Amino acid sequence: MRLLDELKTSWQRWTTVTPSNLLYDRWLFWLYVILLCIGFIMVTSASIPVGTRLYDDPFYFATRDAVYLILSFVTLYFFLKIPMEKWEIRYAWVFGVALFFLLLVLIPGIGKTINGARRWIPMGLFNFQPAEFAKFALICFLSSYFTRRYDEVRSKKLSAFKPLMVMGFLGVFLILQPDLGSTVVLFVITFGLLFVAGAHIMQFVGLIGVGAFLFVVLVLSSAYRMKRITGFMDPFQDPYGTGFQLSNSLMAFGRGEFTGEGLGNSIQKLEYLPEAHTDFVMAVIGEEFGFIGVLVMVFLLGALVLRAMKIGRESLILEQRFKGFFAFGISFWIIFQGFVNLGMALGLLPTKGLTFPLVSYGGSSLVIMTISIAVLLRIDHENRLSRGGQARLRDD
């Protein structure tokens, strides 16, 4: 009975309004830390072969990932102190900075080209990817827009037009890189926030149709995107060409079976599986820890998203719409990107260059995602204060 009471109490803490006498959402924070730690361990394991070949240092990528983790914690500390009203007031600045970097990365000599795509700006410590910040900036902009035009969005039948124009404006610069995956993420974020804001139901039918049409056009207009689709349909038809990454990823999951081969015992990471420590880190997890390991990762990410949605729901109940939309936007971003990355590795979706949130190697992705987690923690903290809590973070 005591165990049942403890489980009931724990469940209530997860699903009901969080206590206002605590400084922050401890579950969200620890889920973030756990995912970062697992990511560091798996990046270290997956990157040893490629680090040895490229730099004659098996821990080259592990060392850099450790630096990114430290930078992430420093980022979390500073951004946690920024009040949400500042994000709401300066939404245009945030959007402008994102647009500036999207323009900058397209300039030859500034943007760094890797595998035929110019998506990165070298910044010494890591290569900054403007697309990651563009996702955050779009959430900030739309959260402000839906707060200011709340009644208009809910009443007008074409209220989705302006948000889609903003999203499409950013999407054009992403397509020029090219980066179709991030463009789809922007579309899903906009779609989700329109739903939360209460836009007219018929608009969603139109959005799905328009989105599907544009996706097909973009795929048919590009030879390399068509190769990814054909490789996705039957990767073993051309296992050394278009289906190389996916076929090796599927073999990794196959070797892992239910319990996995054990940490460090992956065969596919030995330069058989390209990008094992970035886009396909989940395949290495599947090989070394099996179905159980993948299930744990899905549970951890799902739990983090549920906490984020809970924070968004509490904000809307408190009539803090900007905070609520912001939290839900981050939730849609995290869950969709995680779903696409895992689906890609499992062969359920075409191969796209999207990282698994907080786990895959990449300084830009880790830092920007950390800023999003800091925003969620800050929203939760301010919600607690609104409910009469005594805990307080200094804003200096």
Side-chain angles (χ1 to χ4, degrees):
M1 290 297 295
R2 183 177 179 181
L3 178 60
L4 290 176
D5 290 338
E6 290 179 355
L7 289 174
K8 182 179 179 181
T9 302
S10 179
W11 174 253
Q12 288 175 342
R13 289 177 179 174
W14 275 81
T15 56
T16 58
V17 175
T18 47
S20 59
N21 61 337
L22 298 174
L23 185 63
Y24 59 91
D25 189 322
R26 62 197 183 284
W27 283 108
L28 177 63
F29 175 76
W30 285 113
L31 285 167
Y32 161 74
V33 172
I34 290 170
L35 284 168
L36 282 185
C37 291
I38 292 175
F40 175 71
I41 293 170
M42 294 315 303
V43 165
T44 300
S45 175
S47 65
I48 287 176
V50 67
T52 302
R53 178 176 64 86
L54 294 178
Y55 303 101
D56 197 27
D57 180 3
F59 297 108
Y60 174 83
F61 291 102
T63 302
R64 293 176 68 87
D65 198 49
V67 174
Y68 298 156
L69 291 185
I70 295 172
L71 183 60
S72 295
F73 285 122
V74 173
T75 300
L76 183 74
Y77 174 79
F78 282 104
F79 277 85
L80 189 57
K81 294 178 175 294
I82 300 178
M84 290 307 301
E85 63 179 357
K86 291 188 177 180
W87 290 111
E88 187 171 6
I89 294 172
R90 295 182 173 87
Y91 72 93
W93 285 94
V94 176
F95 187 84
V97 170
L99 184 60
F100 170 76
F101 281 115
L102 286 176
L103 287 167
L104 196 64
V105 75
L106 296 175
I107 300 176
I110 297 179
K112 183 177 182 180
T113 302
I114 300 177
N115 296 329
R118 187 182 289 126
R119 304 176 185 173
W120 298 268
I121 300 175
M123 289 192 169
L125 190 60
F126 62 87
N127 293 324
F128 175 67
Q129 190 172 3
E132 295 297 321
F133 186 69
K135 299 167 190 174
F136 178 86
L138 179 67
I139 295 171
C140 183
F141 180 90
L142 291 181
S143 298
S144 174
Y145 178 84
F146 290 143
T147 300
R148 290 180 285 110
R149 304 292 182 87
Y150 184 72
D151 294 331
E152 177 184 327
V153 170
R154 294 175 65 88
S155 60
K156 290 190 176 181
K157 292 185 178 181
L158 294 178
S159 59
F161 179 74
K162 292 180 181 179
L164 282 176
M165 287 294 292
V166 175
M167 183 279 297
F169 188 62
L170 292 178
V172 169
F173 292 102
L174 291 175
I175 293 297
L176 292 175
Q177 295 182 7
D179 190 353
L180 178 59
S182 293
T183 307
V184 174
V185 173
L186 294 185
F187 179 82
V188 170
I189 290 171
T190 306
F191 186 94
L193 285 178
L194 279 166
F195 182 81
V196 173
H200 197 277
I201 190 65
M202 290 305 298
Q203 293 188 93
F204 295 102
V205 178
L207 286 177
I208 293 173
V210 172
F213 173 76
L214 291 176
F215 180 81
V216 171
V217 169
L218 289 171
V219 169
L220 294 177
S221 64
S222 173
Y224 88 93
R225 292 189 187 118
M226 279 299 300
K227 288 181 179 179
R228 284 189 171 185
I229 295 295
T230 55
F232 155 71
M233 297 299 292
D234 187 2
F236 292 100
Q237 184 178 3
D238 186 13
Y240 297 103
T242 56
F244 186 72
Q245 284 182 307
L246 182 53
S247 59
N248 280 281
S249 178
L250 292 175
M251 285 189 281
F253 284 108
R255 288 193 74 248
E257 296 184 343
F258 194 75
T259 58
E261 296 291 325
L263 180 62
N265 293 328
S266 168
I267 297 297
Q268 294 305 120
K269 73 183 182 184
L270 302 177
E271 304 259 34
Y272 295 106
L273 177 62
E275 311 297 339
H277 60 301
T278 55
D279 297 344
F280 285 89
V281 69
M282 288 301 295
V284 178
I285 292 175
E287 186 176 3
E288 296 188 349
F289 293 97
F291 173 76
I292 293 177
V294 174
L295 194 63
V296 168
M297 296 304 299
V298 171
F299 171 78
L300 290 172
L301 192 71
L304 186 144
V305 170
L306 284 176
R307 296 302 292 184
M309 288 186 170
K310 177 173 172 289
I311 291 171
R313 175 177 173 272
E314 291 177 359
S315 299
L316 294 179
I317 291 174
L318 293 170
E319 297 187 355
Q320 301 290 329
R321 289 173 184 158
F322 176 78
K323 300 174 187 177
F325 293 140
F326 214 136
F328 273 108
I330 293 172
S331 303
F332 298 143
W333 173 17
I334 294 174
I335 193 63
F336 181 74
Q337 190 157 310
F339 167 76
V340 170
N341 179 273
L342 182 57
M344 170 194 69
L346 288 169
L348 302 176
L349 295 170
T351 303
K352 295 306 302 175
L354 294 175
T355 59
F356 194 87
L358 302 173
V359 176
S360 297
Y361 175 82
S364 183
S365 175
L366 280 179
V367 170
I368 301 301
M369 194 59 70
T370 292
I371 294 175
S372 300
I373 297 298
V375 168
L376 289 172
L377 289 169
R378 181 72 200 194
I379 293 172
D380 175 75
H381 171 72
E382 293 185 5
N383 286 346
R384 295 166 192 262
L385 294 181
S386 297
R387 294 194 304 270
Q390 299 302 315
R392 189 169 188 84
L393 288 175
R394 291 183 301 172
D395 297 334
D396 53 3

PDB file of all heavy atoms in Angstrom, residues 47 63 66-67 85 123 126 129 142 165 167 175 190 214 294 303 362 375:
ATOM      1  N   SER A  47      32.051   7.929 -31.834  1.00  0.00           N
ATOM      2  CA  SER A  47      32.991   8.771 -32.588  1.00  0.00           C
ATOM      3  C   SER A  47      34.439   8.307 -32.512  1.00  0.00           C
ATOM      4  O   SER A  47      35.299   8.896 -33.170  1.00  0.00           O
ATOM      5  CB  SER A  47      32.909  10.215 -32.089  1.00  0.00           C
ATOM      6  OG  SER A  47      33.349  10.311 -30.734  1.00  0.00           O
ATOM      7  N   THR A  63      36.075  15.052 -26.630  1.00  0.00           N
ATOM      8  CA  THR A  63      36.608  16.239 -25.958  1.00  0.00           C
ATOM      9  C   THR A  63      35.820  17.479 -26.345  1.00  0.00           C
ATOM     10  O   THR A  63      35.451  18.304 -25.497  1.00  0.00           O
ATOM     11  CB  THR A  63      38.088  16.437 -26.319  1.00  0.00           C
ATOM     12  OG1 THR A  63      38.826  15.269 -25.951  1.00  0.00           O
ATOM     13  CG2 THR A  63      38.663  17.649 -25.589  1.00  0.00           C
ATOM     14  N   ALA A  66      32.452  17.463 -24.743  1.00  0.00           N
ATOM     15  CA  ALA A  66      32.533  17.859 -23.325  1.00  0.00           C
ATOM     16  C   ALA A  66      32.562  19.380 -23.199  1.00  0.00           C
ATOM     17  O   ALA A  66      31.928  19.959 -22.298  1.00  0.00           O
ATOM     18  CB  ALA A  66      33.774  17.249 -22.686  1.00  0.00           C
ATOM     19  N   VAL A  67      33.278  20.036 -24.117  1.00  0.00           N
ATOM     20  CA  VAL A  67      33.307  21.499 -24.122  1.00  0.00           C
ATOM     21  C   VAL A  67      31.913  22.051 -24.418  1.00  0.00           C
ATOM     22  O   VAL A  67      31.470  23.027 -23.791  1.00  0.00           O
ATOM     23  CB  VAL A  67      34.322  22.014 -25.164  1.00  0.00           C
ATOM     24  CG1 VAL A  67      34.250  23.537 -25.274  1.00  0.00           C
ATOM     25  CG2 VAL A  67      35.730  21.589 -24.797  1.00  0.00           C
ATOM     26  N   GLU A  85       9.201  38.628 -20.210  1.00  0.00           N
ATOM     27  CA  GLU A  85       8.709  39.872 -20.807  1.00  0.00           C
ATOM     28  C   GLU A  85       9.729  40.466 -21.777  1.00  0.00           C
ATOM     29  O   GLU A  85       9.354  41.147 -22.742  1.00  0.00           O
ATOM     30  CB  GLU A  85       8.365  40.879 -19.718  1.00  0.00           C
ATOM     31  CG  GLU A  85       9.537  41.317 -18.877  1.00  0.00           C
ATOM     32  CD  GLU A  85       9.124  42.352 -17.829  1.00  0.00           C
ATOM     33  OE1 GLU A  85       7.945  42.738 -17.825  1.00  0.00           O
ATOM     34  OE2 GLU A  85       9.999  42.760 -17.035  1.00  0.00           O
ATOM     35  N   MET A 123      32.772  29.427 -36.151  1.00  0.00           N
ATOM     36  CA  MET A 123      32.926  30.362 -35.034  1.00  0.00           C
ATOM     37  C   MET A 123      34.006  29.909 -34.065  1.00  0.00           C
ATOM     38  O   MET A 123      33.927  30.190 -32.867  1.00  0.00           O
ATOM     39  CB  MET A 123      31.593  30.546 -34.308  1.00  0.00           C
ATOM     40  CG  MET A 123      30.572  31.325 -35.104  1.00  0.00           C
ATOM     41  SD  MET A 123      29.147  31.835 -34.127  1.00  0.00           S
ATOM     42  CE  MET A 123      28.335  32.985 -35.243  1.00  0.00           C
ATOM     43  N   PHE A 126      32.879  26.117 -32.409  1.00  0.00           N
ATOM     44  CA  PHE A 126      32.010  25.198 -33.144  1.00  0.00           C
ATOM     45  C   PHE A 126      31.462  25.906 -34.371  1.00  0.00           C
ATOM     46  O   PHE A 126      31.583  27.120 -34.521  1.00  0.00           O
ATOM     47  CB  PHE A 126      30.861  24.685 -32.261  1.00  0.00           C
ATOM     48  CG  PHE A 126      29.929  25.765 -31.761  1.00  0.00           C
ATOM     49  CD1 PHE A 126      28.839  26.176 -32.516  1.00  0.00           C
ATOM     50  CD2 PHE A 126      30.146  26.369 -30.532  1.00  0.00           C
ATOM     51  CE1 PHE A 126      27.984  27.165 -32.066  1.00  0.00           C
ATOM     52  CE2 PHE A 126      29.291  27.364 -30.064  1.00  0.00           C
ATOM     53  CZ  PHE A 126      28.209  27.758 -30.839  1.00  0.00           C
ATOM     54  N   GLN A 129      25.026  26.801 -36.727  1.00  0.00           N
ATOM     55  CA  GLN A 129      24.031  26.481 -37.738  1.00  0.00           C
ATOM     56  C   GLN A 129      22.833  27.407 -37.572  1.00  0.00           C
ATOM     57  O   GLN A 129      22.011  27.219 -36.666  1.00  0.00           O
ATOM     58  CB  GLN A 129      23.596  25.023 -37.625  1.00  0.00           C
ATOM     59  CG  GLN A 129      22.736  24.554 -38.786  1.00  0.00           C
ATOM     60  CD  GLN A 129      22.481  23.060 -38.749  1.00  0.00           C
ATOM     61  OE1 GLN A 129      22.898  22.366 -37.838  1.00  0.00           O
ATOM     62  NE2 GLN A 129      21.790  22.551 -39.759  1.00  0.00           N
ATOM     63  N   LEU A 142       6.096  33.900 -33.420  1.00  0.00           N
ATOM     64  CA  LEU A 142       4.708  33.453 -33.498  1.00  0.00           C
ATOM     65  C   LEU A 142       4.010  33.538 -32.146  1.00  0.00           C
ATOM     66  O   LEU A 142       2.810  33.836 -32.083  1.00  0.00           O
ATOM     67  CB  LEU A 142       4.646  32.022 -34.030  1.00  0.00           C
ATOM     68  CG  LEU A 142       5.043  31.822 -35.496  1.00  0.00           C
ATOM     69  CD1 LEU A 142       4.905  30.353 -35.883  1.00  0.00           C
ATOM     70  CD2 LEU A 142       4.210  32.703 -36.425  1.00  0.00           C
ATOM     71  N   MET A 165       3.203  33.118 -44.044  1.00  0.00           N
ATOM     72  CA  MET A 165       4.080  33.971 -44.843  1.00  0.00           C
ATOM     73  C   MET A 165       5.416  34.172 -44.141  1.00  0.00           C
ATOM     74  O   MET A 165       6.478  34.136 -44.768  1.00  0.00           O
ATOM     75  CB  MET A 165       3.405  35.318 -45.099  1.00  0.00           C
ATOM     76  CG  MET A 165       2.258  35.256 -46.100  1.00  0.00           C
ATOM     77  SD  MET A 165       2.821  34.827 -47.769  1.00  0.00           S
ATOM     78  CE  MET A 165       3.756  36.296 -48.188  1.00  0.00           C
ATOM     79  N   MET A 167       6.728  32.134 -41.859  1.00  0.00           N
ATOM     80  CA  MET A 167       7.406  30.844 -41.904  1.00  0.00           C
ATOM     81  C   MET A 167       8.008  30.579 -43.278  1.00  0.00           C
ATOM     82  O   MET A 167       9.142  30.132 -43.409  1.00  0.00           O
ATOM     83  CB  MET A 167       6.415  29.738 -41.522  1.00  0.00           C
ATOM     84  CG  MET A 167       7.010  28.331 -41.451  1.00  0.00           C
ATOM     85  SD  MET A 167       7.179  27.493 -43.042  1.00  0.00           S
ATOM     86  CE  MET A 167       5.473  27.369 -43.553  1.00  0.00           C
ATOM     87  N   ILE A 175      15.801  26.601 -47.803  1.00  0.00           N
ATOM     88  CA  ILE A 175      15.825  25.801 -49.031  1.00  0.00           C
ATOM     89  C   ILE A 175      17.058  26.136 -49.866  1.00  0.00           C
ATOM     90  O   ILE A 175      17.631  25.279 -50.540  1.00  0.00           O
ATOM     91  CB  ILE A 175      14.540  26.031 -49.851  1.00  0.00           C
ATOM     92  CG1 ILE A 175      13.326  25.472 -49.113  1.00  0.00           C
ATOM     93  CG2 ILE A 175      14.657  25.399 -51.234  1.00  0.00           C
ATOM     94  CD1 ILE A 175      13.363  23.976 -48.907  1.00  0.00           C
ATOM     95  N   THR A 190       4.631  25.927 -36.859  1.00  0.00           N
ATOM     96  CA  THR A 190       3.568  26.880 -37.189  1.00  0.00           C
ATOM     97  C   THR A 190       2.205  26.207 -37.144  1.00  0.00           C
ATOM     98  O   THR A 190       1.234  26.760 -36.599  1.00  0.00           O
ATOM     99  CB  THR A 190       3.808  27.470 -38.594  1.00  0.00           C
ATOM    100  OG1 THR A 190       5.126  28.020 -38.661  1.00  0.00           O
ATOM    101  CG2 THR A 190       2.801  28.558 -38.907  1.00  0.00           C
ATOM    102  N   LEU A 214       3.741  21.223 -51.680  1.00  0.00           N
ATOM    103  CA  LEU A 214       5.055  21.862 -51.752  1.00  0.00           C
ATOM    104  C   LEU A 214       6.173  20.860 -51.481  1.00  0.00           C
ATOM    105  O   LEU A 214       7.238  20.924 -52.119  1.00  0.00           O
ATOM    106  CB  LEU A 214       5.130  23.014 -50.742  1.00  0.00           C
ATOM    107  CG  LEU A 214       4.256  24.231 -51.050  1.00  0.00           C
ATOM    108  CD1 LEU A 214       4.359  25.251 -49.925  1.00  0.00           C
ATOM    109  CD2 LEU A 214       4.660  24.861 -52.374  1.00  0.00           C
ATOM    110  N   VAL A 294      16.612   1.941 -26.929  1.00  0.00           N
ATOM    111  CA  VAL A 294      15.841   2.874 -27.745  1.00  0.00           C
ATOM    112  C   VAL A 294      14.565   3.274 -27.012  1.00  0.00           C
ATOM    113  O   VAL A 294      14.164   4.449 -27.016  1.00  0.00           O
ATOM    114  CB  VAL A 294      15.504   2.244 -29.116  1.00  0.00           C
ATOM    115  CG1 VAL A 294      14.579   3.154 -29.912  1.00  0.00           C
ATOM    116  CG2 VAL A 294      16.783   1.980 -29.902  1.00  0.00           C
ATOM    117  N   ALA A 303       9.006  12.197 -21.892  1.00  0.00           N
ATOM    118  CA  ALA A 303       8.762  12.776 -20.568  1.00  0.00           C
ATOM    119  C   ALA A 303       9.130  14.250 -20.549  1.00  0.00           C
ATOM    120  O   ALA A 303       8.420  15.078 -19.962  1.00  0.00           O
ATOM    121  CB  ALA A 303       9.568  12.014 -19.510  1.00  0.00           C
ATOM    122  N   GLY A 362      27.024  17.988 -31.739  1.00  0.00           N
ATOM    123  CA  GLY A 362      26.854  19.264 -32.430  1.00  0.00           C
ATOM    124  C   GLY A 362      26.710  20.410 -31.446  1.00  0.00           C
ATOM    125  O   GLY A 362      25.728  20.453 -30.692  1.00  0.00           O
ATOM    126  N   VAL A 375      14.374  28.693 -21.330  1.00  0.00           N
ATOM    127  CA  VAL A 375      13.110  29.427 -21.465  1.00  0.00           C
ATOM    128  C   VAL A 375      11.984  28.667 -20.768  1.00  0.00           C
ATOM    129  O   VAL A 375      11.159  29.262 -20.057  1.00  0.00           O
ATOM    130  CB  VAL A 375      12.784  29.663 -22.953  1.00  0.00           C
ATOM    131  CG1 VAL A 375      11.344  30.145 -23.121  1.00  0.00           C
ATOM    132  CG2 VAL A 375      13.739  30.685 -23.555  1.00  0.00           C
TER     133      VAL A 375
END
